């Protein structure tokens, strides 16, 4: 099969590459564009380690063909930090509350939390749990992550 | 069932929190991880990287008659046992070396490595793999305890399929049983459990500076070095292992990485190019070690006053096709077999058997969760039989300081279980709820007590490990810390920095500590057995004291500290007699549940934990350990079903093997009590495994309390509950 050319905006920069038609967006983000913060945990859309935001929607990048992302706007974990290199309030809260352990689920977890707070600045416990229910974590038992999202919500209101 | 425990003022007063070192700091690794910048092994870049895949056995037990291979294009390789260099061995040096690098002539479990296929293009490697045909002659496989003990199809291991057999005895069981007025018996079973670390297994082996160098997601870089050197038949120093950031491990990256590293090293030795082996999730669930399934039979005799006079336990664990650390897992299962109870006459017979299943290996708790589940459920069943509240019956038998343990030693710890029970009563309203749920067919509450020995069993820290740590004064008022124990999510990089900085009166950020590289750090032993903070942390504390004295010698001043076993602890390895562990962590859990009468699904409505880990090195890190350990254990007790069919795991993906999500369990309410241990850093004891041990029996007790039927097995599935209620 012939390679195809795709162009997309990742973390506010326009990037372009040639891919196999069957290439997954996850692999193209990692291998072609170097965004290795996007993790592969399961490859079947169950664990959420590869969560990104595409055209405003939260998606598992392992379940999307890169060709489908032609012309789209994508945010990966690498684009969550503020422009001056400081951490986003969600990331700050993850640090503060001890929500980071092995760190492998963290990029996807931060993206899901960020996406939630953009839509819903004052989430309840249940809304937070639902928002991160597609992101599996084996280390924390989720408690610290949930309290980090609450903290981030409070701090973002200030 | 009610409880008549009176809360004592003193019990609660005895509970004191937060030494100075417990005050939380920001985790040193968190910023980089939260930014997505941390490089795990799959994120590394290497020039000219070759991709490897294993050719694996599709049969549980068979002779290999022939392997039909396609022609390999140039640059693609088929590596097998014949590529092991002269002087090397087709064995993986673990505790024993029975596990083969490559199956040769026969296969003993589904997934066993037969060969390594590698080359520059992943897709071509996969195409080659698919074209290889292995011709087998099937033999009769053995999967169950019964198969193993009857040597079905002939012995897999030795002449009797027994990897290890131990007998522990205190008092006089045979003379005590006839005096019992009541005997209660039960058989308790626990299943396989998959670690499901979020980052799959992965290693890249390279040829750098005329040396095989491995970058590994690993708990034990020195284990990998030992196994690779043994396979290639070269001195240890010829192999270099560098730990890559490790995305969770839980025991699954203790010995198993040796199984990946050794074939890769054989390949690199031959082709002198870097080779990567990164498992995908299906491969990782299907073809890595699991927790040992256990079957534990307990028989208990009681006197007229409902005191236990004798207990006899028979413990079986399934080790799978190769031994690995199975005998040590069995030791821990039986040494924890009496739980937290003082039993005057007790005998425990333990056997680990060989079957044609994937070899079982280390998993957080290392045998203790199996033994503790059995004894806790059994104690609840006795209480039920005699009509005494569970908490009262268990409390009545609590071991106390100075009591004799199953290995004929005195319990040295200051046992604070009564105070911990009072604390969890206060937090959870346990006894009130027991009364309240008595006539409620849908709600229940369970209470469990556990302890967990810290560090290697017996004199292992002295006889086997001999841990060493080093420190050095660096430029700019910083100090370098050189240890082989790894960060794998548990917060060790932060904890060890805090310990060292306290002695040196530095900021913890001024302690420089990299992921271990076997060419740079001394061997302080593996990252396992709840030893890293307690044992290695103590070495770091003592080493830092030495460096403090030499600090004024200036930059470059060095100190080293080597483990010495405290003289008051005595151990005889041949008979397993003496002080099995210098100290124990202790725990109490309460779990509350509600049953859906239509689907038989169980909803957990409350979880509480009180732990004695000596002193917490960091309250936030330890809260994370408690929450994560308890939830992982609740998964083991409820939803994490892993079944075998003809020797293969039926669960192969994260959709089939489910672990707890954020919606499955409520938050774990945790309190740590203060009980400093004199040979732990700032008084800290082992903690990482303890926090796993208590939730499974508390959960199962809660379910049995709800449904009014005894539970003997985990995971407790809706199907089991439906059967029980029929």
């Amino acid at each position: 099969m012939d390679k195809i050319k795709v162009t997309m905006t990742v973390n506010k920069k326009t990037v372009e590459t040639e891919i196999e038609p069957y290439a997954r967006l996850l692999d193209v983000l990692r291998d072609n564009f170097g965004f290795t913060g996007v993790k592969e945990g399961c490859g079947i859309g169950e664990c959420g380690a590869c969560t990104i935001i595409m055209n405003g929607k939260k998606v598992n990048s392992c379940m999307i063909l890169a060709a489908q992302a032609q012309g789209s706007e994508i945010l990966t974990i690498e684009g969550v930090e503020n422009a001056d290199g400081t951490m986003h309030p969600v990331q700050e809260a993850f640090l503060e509350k001890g929500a980071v352990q092995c760190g492998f689920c963290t990029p996807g977890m931060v993206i899901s939390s960020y996406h939630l707070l953009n839509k819903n600045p004052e989430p309840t416990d249940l809304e937070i749990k639902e928002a991160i229910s597609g992101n599996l974590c084996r280390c924390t038992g989720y408690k610290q992550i949930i309290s980090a999202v609450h903290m981030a919500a409070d701090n973002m209101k200030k | 069932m009610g409880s008549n425990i009176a809360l004592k003022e003193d019990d609660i007063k005895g509970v004191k929190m937060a030494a100075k070192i417990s005050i939380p700091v920001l985790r040193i690794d968190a910023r980089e991880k939260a930014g997505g910048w941390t490089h795990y092994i799959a994120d590394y870049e290497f020039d000219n990287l070759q991709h490897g895949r294993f050719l694996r056995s599709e049969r549980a037990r068979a002779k290999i008659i022939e392997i039909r291979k396609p022609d390999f294009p140039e640059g693609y390789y088929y590596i097998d046992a014949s590529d092991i260099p002269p002087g090397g061995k087709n064995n993986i040096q673990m505790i024993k070396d029975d596990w083969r690098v490559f199956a040769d002539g026969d296969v003993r479990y589904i997934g066993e490595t037969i060969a390594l296929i590698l080359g520059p293009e992943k897709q071509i490697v996969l195409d080659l793999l698919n074209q290889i045909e292995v011709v087998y002659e099937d033999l009769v496989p053995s999967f169950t305890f019964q198969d193993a003990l009857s040597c079905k199809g002939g012995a897999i291991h030795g002449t009797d399929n027994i990897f290890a057999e131990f007998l522990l005895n205190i008092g006089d069981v045979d003379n005590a049983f006839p005096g019992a007025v009541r005997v209660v018996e039960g058989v308790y079973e626990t299943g396989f459990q998959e670690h499901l670390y979020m980052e799959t297994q992965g290693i890249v082996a390279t040829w750098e500076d005329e040396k095989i160098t491995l970058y590994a997601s690993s708990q034990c870089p020195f284990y990998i070095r030992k196994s690779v050197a043994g396979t290639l038949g070269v001195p240890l120093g010829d192999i270099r292992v560098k730990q890559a950031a490790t995305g969770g491990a839980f025991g699954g990256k203790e010995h198993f990485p040796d199984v990946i590293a050794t074939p890769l090293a054989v390949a690199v030795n031959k082709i002198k190019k870097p080779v990567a082996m990164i498992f995908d999730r299906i491969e990782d669930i299907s073809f890595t070690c699991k927790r040992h399934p256990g079957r534990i039979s307990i028989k208990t005799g009681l006197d007229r006053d409902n005191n236990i006079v004798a207990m006899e336990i028979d413990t079986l664990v399934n080790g799978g096709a190769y031994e690995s650390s199975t005998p040590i897992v069995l030791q821990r299962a039986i040494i924890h077999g009496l739980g937290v109870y003082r039993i005057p006459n007790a005998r425990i017979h333990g056997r680990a058997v060989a079957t044609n299943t994937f070899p079982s290996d280390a998993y957080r708790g290392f045998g203790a969760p199996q033994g503790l589940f059995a004894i806790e459920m059994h104690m609840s069943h006795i209480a039920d039989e005699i009509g005494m509240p569970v908490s009262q019956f268990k409390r009545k038998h609590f071991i106390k300081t100075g009591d004799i343990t199953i290995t004929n030693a005195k319990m040295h710890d200051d046992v604070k279980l009564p105070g911990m029970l009072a604390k969890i009563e206060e937090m959870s309203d346990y006894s009130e709820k027991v009364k309240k749920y008595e006539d409620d067919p849908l709600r229940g509450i369970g209470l469990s007590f556990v302890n967990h020995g810290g560090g290697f069993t017996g004199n292992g820290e002295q006889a086997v490990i001999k841990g060493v740590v080093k420190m050095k004064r660096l430029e700019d008022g910083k100090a370098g810390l050189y240890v082989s124990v790894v960060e794998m999510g548990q917060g060790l990089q932060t904890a060890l920095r805090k310990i060292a900085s306290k002695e040196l009166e530095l900021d913890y950020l001024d302690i420089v500590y990299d992921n271990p590289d076997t060419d740079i750090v001394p061997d302080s032993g593996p990252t396992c057995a709840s030893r890293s903070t307690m044992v290695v942390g103590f070495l770091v504390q003592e080493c830092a004291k030495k460096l403090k004295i030499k600090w004024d010698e200036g930059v470059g001043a060095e100190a080293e500290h080597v483990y010495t076993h405290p003289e008051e602890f005595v151990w005889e390895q041949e008979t397993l007699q003496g002080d099995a562990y210098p100290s124990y962590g202790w725990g109490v859990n309460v779990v509350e549940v509600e049953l859906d009468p239509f689907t038989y699904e169980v909803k957990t409505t409350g979880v509480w934990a009180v732990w004695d880990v000596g002193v917490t090195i960091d309250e936030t890190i330890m809260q994370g350990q408690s929450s994560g350990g308890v939830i992982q254990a609740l998964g083991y007790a409820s939803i994490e079903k892993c079944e075998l069919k003809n020797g293969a795991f039926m669960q192969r993906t994260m959709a089939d093997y489910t672990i707890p999500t954020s919606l499955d369990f409520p938050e774990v309410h945790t309190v740590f009590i203060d009980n400093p241990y004199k040979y732990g850093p700032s008084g800290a004891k082992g903690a990482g495994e303890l926090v796993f041990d208590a939730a499974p029996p508390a959960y199962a007790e809660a379910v049995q309390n709800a449904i009014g039927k005894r539970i003997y097995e985990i995971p407790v599935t809706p199907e089991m509950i439906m059967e029980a209620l029929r």
Side-chain angles (χ1 to χ4, degrees):
Chain A
M1 274 185 283
D2 289 341
K3 289 199 170 189
I4 51 176
K5 200 157 100 179
V6 287
T7 308
M8 54 189 95
T9 306
V10 184
N11 303 333
K12 299 192 174 135
K13 276 192 193 134
T14 303
V15 286
E16 158 179 312
T17 187
E18 292 214 327
I19 57 162
E20 302 289 350
Y22 52 79
R24 301 180 301 175
L25 181 55
L26 165 64
D27 297 319
V28 171
L29 287 172
R30 286 177 55 85
D31 301 340
N32 298 44
F33 301 141
F35 295 108
T36 54
V38 187
K39 302 296 181 205
E40 174 162 3
C42 72
I44 60 164
E46 284 287 333
C47 79
C50 67
T51 307
I52 57 163
I53 296 173
M54 180 169 143
N55 297 331
K57 284 191 178 151
K58 187 176 75 165
V59 294
N60 288 319
S61 60
C62 72
M63 299 301 285
I64 292 177
L65 290 177
Q68 288 173 275
Q70 167 62 32
S72 59
E73 194 158 320
I74 285 169
L75 181 77
T76 73
I77 184 67
E78 288 92 343
V80 172
E81 285 181 13
N82 301 317
D84 62 359
T86 56
M87 298 226 127
H88 185 273
V90 169
Q91 292 168 312
E92 291 285 0
F94 268 59
L95 266 57
E96 190 68 36
K97 290 290 179 184
V100 179
Q101 290 197 22
C102 87
F104 204 79
C105 76
T106 309
M109 207 57 99
V110 167
I111 288 276
S112 286
S113 307
Y114 171 95
H115 184 251
L116 167 72
L117 294 179
N118 277 348
K119 288 189 312 180
N120 178 358
E122 282 181 74
T124 62
D125 244 31
L126 183 62
E127 285 167 341
I128 295 171
K129 288 182 179 184
E130 281 170 350
I132 61 166
S133 65
N135 295 88
L136 296 177
C137 169
R138 194 58 154 166
C139 297
T140 63
Y142 305 103
K143 179 177 173 174
Q144 303 77 249
I145 295 171
I146 295 161
S147 60
V149 179
H150 279 304
M151 184 187 190
D154 288 346
N155 289 344
M156 284 165 76
K157 265 183 285 175
K158 281 174 196 163
Chain B
M1 291 191 278
S3 170
N4 58 0
I5 291 177
L7 293 186
K8 284 191 212 148
E9 274 296 312
D10 286 349
D11 285 340
I12 297 176
K13 274 191 210 146
V15 169
K16 190 175 82 203
M17 310 292 159
K20 198 174 167 203
I21 198 160
S22 307
I23 298 166
V25 299
L26 282 187
R27 273 181 72 129
I28 197 86
D29 53 336
R31 193 184 197 287
E32 211 184 56
K33 285 174 173 174
W37 308 116
T38 300
H39 278 188
Y40 298 82
I41 189 62
D43 307 329
Y44 281 53
E45 283 185 46
F46 294 90
D47 287 336
N48 199 15
L49 185 63
Q50 310 294 302
H51 300 278
R53 296 284 284 195
F54 288 136
L55 172 67
R56 298 176 175 282
S57 167
E58 296 167 284
R59 304 300 170 88
R61 192 178 196 182
K63 281 185 191 161
I64 297 174
I65 302 301
E66 191 192 346
I67 299 173
R68 295 178 188 145
K69 299 183 279 268
D71 289 332
F72 273 51
E74 200 185 323
Y76 290 80
Y77 297 88
Y78 178 98
I79 304 286
D80 67 7
S82 66
D83 294 300
I84 293 172
K89 283 166 79 180
N90 187 23
N91 305 88
I92 307 172
Q93 312 286 315
M94 297 182 181
I95 295 168
K96 294 279 173 58
D97 66 352
D98 61 329
W99 196 332
R100 297 174 296 181
V101 181
F102 299 101
D104 193 13
D106 70 329
V107 290
R108 300 177 197 173
Y109 65 90
I110 290 177
E112 184 165 11
T113 308
I114 297 172
L116 169 63
I117 319 301
L118 64 94
E121 293 289 332
K122 279 183 201 171
Q123 194 52 50
I124 295 173
V125 170
L126 285 175
D127 290 344
L128 287 168
L129 188 62
N130 287 335
Q131 290 172 58
I132 297 172
E133 193 191 341
V134 182
V135 182
Y136 300 98
E137 181 189 318
D138 283 318
L139 302 168
V140 177
S142 159
F143 300 129
T144 64
F145 288 122
Q146 198 181 340
D147 291 350
L149 293 173
S150 63
C151 290
K152 186 179 172 189
I156 302 157
H157 174 87
T159 56
D160 56 6
N161 277 341
I162 305 288
F163 283 132
E165 181 167 17
F166 305 112
L167 192 68
L168 299 176
N169 187 70
I170 48 170
D172 189 341
V173 174
D174 294 325
N175 270 326
F177 262 113
V181 298
R182 190 198 292 263
V183 172
V184 181
E185 292 186 69
V187 180
Y188 305 90
E189 296 195 58
T190 60
F192 286 108
Q193 187 184 19
E194 160 58 28
H195 305 80
L196 222 92
Y197 27 67
M198 292 308 299
E199 181 211 23
T200 57
Q201 302 272 352
I203 296 181
V204 178
T206 68
W207 182 253
E208 286 173 23
D209 306 325
E210 300 295 301
K211 198 168 183 173
I212 289 177
T213 302
L214 299 103
Y215 296 79
S217 177
S218 158
Q219 293 174 236
C220 313
F222 279 93
Y223 278 7
I224 295 177
R225 187 177 80 153
K226 176 184 164 190
S227 68
V228 168
T231 294
L232 297 178
V234 299
L236 292 170
D238 284 10
I239 307 298
R240 181 175 194 177
V241 182
K242 297 182 183 184
Q243 188 230 355
T246 297
F250 314 113
K253 296 173 183 173
E254 185 172 331
H255 273 299
F256 188 76
D258 304 354
V259 176
I260 303 173
T262 44
L264 287 186
V266 171
V268 173
N269 183 59
K270 179 169 172 170
I271 69 168
K272 309 285 192 273
K273 290 177 195 167
V275 185
M277 174 70 70
I278 313 288
F279 280 12
D280 65 32
R281 183 61 67 179
I282 290 177
E283 188 170 24
D284 201 291
I285 297 180
S286 305
F287 305 128
T288 62
C289 300
K290 307 282 176 278
R291 184 187 297 286
H292 292 73
R295 176 185 294 167
I296 300 176
S297 311
I298 311 183
K299 178 180 155 190
T300 298
L302 300 147
D303 69 12
R304 242 168 258 289
D305 300 322
N306 293 321
N307 295 309
I308 295 175
V309 292
M311 191 178 276
E312 178 144 37
I313 301 180
D314 186 72
T315 300
L316 283 168
V317 297
N318 179 1
Y322 294 109
E323 188 167 314
S324 185
S325 47
T326 289
I328 323 293
V329 168
L330 176 64
Q331 281 175 15
R332 204 173 262 276
I334 61 172
I335 292 170
H336 289 77
L338 300 182
V340 299
Y341 307 108
R342 160 84 177 110
I343 313 292
N345 304 289
R347 183 160 60 214
I348 307 185
H349 179 212
R351 284 169 294 170
V353 302
T355 61
N356 295 108
T357 60
F358 205 100
S360 306
D361 205 50
Y363 191 143
R364 195 178 204 170
F366 209 73
Q370 294 91 319
L372 290 164
F373 171 74
I375 185 69
E376 282 299 289
M377 296 316 290
H378 185 67
M379 291 296 280
S380 78
H381 295 164
I382 300 173
D384 183 38
E385 192 112 348
I386 62 180
M388 187 185 283
V390 175
S391 58
Q392 190 187 340
F393 181 69
K394 287 182 174 177
R395 181 180 179 153
K396 183 178 158 81
H397 290 91
F398 280 166
I399 196 165
K400 296 180 195 68
T401 308
D403 281 349
I404 299 298
T405 68
I406 188 66
T407 52
N408 273 303
K410 278 197 175 134
M411 172 53 69
H412 296 282
D413 281 30
D414 177 7
V415 181
K416 295 199 167 181
L417 285 176
M420 294 165 72
L421 171 58
K423 184 76 198 164
I424 211 160
E425 279 277 8
E426 181 193 77
M427 291 162 67
S428 68
D429 260 337
Y430 169 78
S431 292
E432 278 305 307
K433 286 176 179 165
V434 168
K435 275 185 220 152
K436 209 165 105 192
Y437 300 159
E438 208 157 62
D439 300 317
D440 188 332
L442 301 179
R443 297 173 84 182
I445 191 160
L447 169 71
S448 65
F449 302 91
V450 297
N451 63 5
H452 195 103
F456 270 54
T457 302
N459 61 354
E461 293 289 346
Q462 174 85 38
V464 184
I465 303 296
K466 302 178 190 78
V468 183
V469 306
K470 254 173 62 180
M471 293 193 71
K472 194 191 228 175
R473 179 170 170 181
L474 307 176
E475 303 278 353
D476 304 325
K478 292 180 196 283
L481 172 60
Y482 308 93
V483 295
S484 66
V485 282
V486 311
E487 174 67 55
M488 52 192 185
Q490 83 283 45
L492 189 74
Q493 286 192 348
T494 306
L496 292 185
R497 278 182 169 90
K498 285 181 83 172
I499 292 164
S501 64
K502 180 174 176 254
E503 297 306 325
L504 291 168
E505 295 173 65
L506 294 176
D507 190 291
Y508 77 109
L509 298 172
D510 288 333
I511 306 296
V512 177
Y513 165 71
D514 281 332
N515 289 344
D517 171 340
T518 57
D519 270 13
I520 293 173
V521 301
D523 188 355
S524 357
T527 315
C528 66
S530 305
R531 66 183 294 279
S532 304
T533 297
M534 180 179 111
V535 178
V536 181
F538 188 69
L539 298 180
V540 168
Q541 175 184 292
E542 299 307 298
C543 189
K545 284 180 187 165
K546 287 183 181 172
L547 183 64
K548 176 89 180 153
I549 293 165
K550 297 169 93 177
W551 192 256
D552 290 341
E553 290 173 17
V555 171
E558 270 190 24
E560 187 181 272
H561 196 74
V562 183
Y563 182 86
T564 50
H565 206 55
E567 275 178 15
E568 68 236 58
F569 304 120
V570 179
W571 180 252
E572 196 184 312
Q573 180 61 27
E574 290 67 38
T575 53
L576 305 183
Q577 295 292 289
D579 297 299
Y581 304 100
S583 80
Y584 294 81
W586 300 81
V588 188
N589 278 190
V590 168
V591 174
E592 189 183 8
V593 301
E594 193 170 343
L595 180 73
D596 182 321
F598 302 105
T599 64
Y600 301 105
E601 281 170 308
V602 174
K603 187 179 167 199
T604 302
T605 51
V607 187
W608 296 267
V610 177
W611 307 111
D612 164 7
V613 297
V615 167
T616 59
I617 292 299
D618 186 288
E619 187 73 14
T620 297
I621 289 175
M622 277 311 305
Q623 283 283 340
Q625 283 289 297
S626 173
S627 172
V630 168
I631 298 298
Q632 200 175 84
L634 287 169
Y636 176 51
S638 61
I639 56 175
E640 295 187 25
K641 183 98 180 161
C642 186
E643 299 157 289
L644 280 173
K645 189 175 181 186
N646 300 324
F649 295 119
M650 287 169 73
Q651 289 73 16
R652 292 164 51 82
T653 70
M654 275 187 170
D656 314 324
Y657 187 85
T658 54
I659 62 167
T661 71
S662 54
L663 289 165
D664 292 326
F665 293 98
E667 96 174 59
V668 181
H669 300 280
T670 299
V671 164
F672 293 97
I673 68 152
D674 198 50
N675 191 10
Y677 163 57
K678 68 175 165 179
Y679 298 112
S682 291
K685 300 191 280 194
E689 296 173 286
L690 170 74
V691 293
F692 186 94
D693 291 340
Y699 178 86
E701 274 193 38
V703 176
Q704 73 181 6
N705 185 239
I707 66 175
K709 302 274 181 188
R710 289 185 193 169
I711 291 190
Y712 291 90
E713 189 184 340
I714 46 171
V716 184
T717 60
E719 292 84 353
M720 272 172 57
I721 296 171
M722 188 180 79
E723 287 288 324
L725 288 175
R726 250 185 199 165

